[in-house]
Amino acid sequence: DQEYPEVLRNIYDPPLCLYIRGKLPSFNNNAVAIVGSRKMSMYGERMAKSFAQDAVKCGYTVISGLAFGIDYAAHKAVVDYDGVTVAVLGGGLMQVHPREHIPLAREIIQKGGAVISEFPMDFPVSRTSFPRRNRIVSALSSAVIVIEAGLDSGALITANVALEQGKDIFWGEVHIKD
């Protein structure tokens, strides 16, 4: 399809199709992913908001996963700052997870962004669907900013995939659990 994002065409295991609510921006090296811990600190929240607002000021689209914590803070800062953001879901478009983020998903669409998924509309989220989502978050971005991440976190999965895709990675804090 002509509207299938070019940046997804050449990754390992590209999505067969994308389900989209809203409008996809062009991904001409002007998109950055902001990912991190679901259990963010106050510092992490400030950094997510700051990086998101700076990205908007520079004309970048912000990509993230609409999860609790850093993802939510980044998406929310972008819509509050009248920027464009794309949320990549770990389930179908009718399975926004967490459910508490449905209002933010609507706001993302209303502000000119998009909520997307490679999964059919009613596909439920699962432990295996999130790593698949993360490869799309990375692929849509020219760089990935990781803010506060645990060693076994989805944020580090995104960073590892980004490295495989030849993307730039910017690190905040990585927390080691005993």
Side-chain angles (χ1 to χ4, degrees):
D1 185 281
Q2 296 271 359
E3 295 184 37
Y4 189 87
E6 185 67 33
V7 294
L8 292 178
R9 291 178 193 266
N10 298 317
I11 66 168
Y12 175 77
D13 193 22
L16 181 59
C17 68
L18 288 177
Y19 298 87
I20 303 166
R21 291 281 317 257
K23 182 178 184 294
L24 281 182
S26 66
F27 295 100
N28 299 330
N29 290 326
N30 65 340
V32 62
I34 300 177
V35 298
S37 178
R38 287 187 169 101
K39 296 178 182 177
M40 67 184 168
S41 68
M42 287 175 35
Y43 171 79
E45 182 177 19
R46 279 196 320 273
M47 291 298 96
K49 289 177 179 180
S50 177
F51 281 122
Q53 289 175 349
D54 287 346
V56 171
K57 283 183 206 172
C58 293
Y60 276 70
T61 297
V62 173
I63 315 296
S64 201
L66 201 65
F68 285 117
I70 298 296
D71 291 11
Y72 181 89
H75 286 304
K76 185 68 174 143
V78 171
V79 297
D80 288 349
Y81 210 71
D82 292 326
V84 175
T85 185
V86 175
V88 184
L89 301 182
L93 292 179
M94 297 298 292
Q95 297 293 325
V96 172
H97 178 80
R99 305 299 288 169
E100 296 91 333
H101 294 179
I102 290 172
L104 178 57
R106 288 187 182 121
E107 195 172 1
I108 288 169
I109 295 163
Q110 290 167 351
K111 294 279 184 126
V115 177
I116 69 171
S117 178
E118 72 176 307
F119 302 110
M121 296 296 280
D122 283 321
F123 190 88
V125 298
S126 70
R127 294 186 64 80
T128 59
S129 64
F130 289 110
R132 294 192 56 78
R133 172 204 63 186
N134 295 345
R135 84 187 194 295
I136 297 172
V137 169
S138 171
L140 295 175
S141 309
S142 54
V144 175
I145 300 170
V146 180
I147 301 172
E148 296 185 325
L151 285 178
D152 296 323
S153 66
L156 290 190
I157 292 171
T158 305
N160 285 327
V161 171
L163 288 172
E164 291 171 7
Q165 294 172 347
K167 309 292 176 138
D168 290 326
I169 310 294
F170 300 94
W171 301 94
E173 296 181 30
V174 177
H175 299 283
I176 300 172
K177 294 182 181 177
D178 293 331

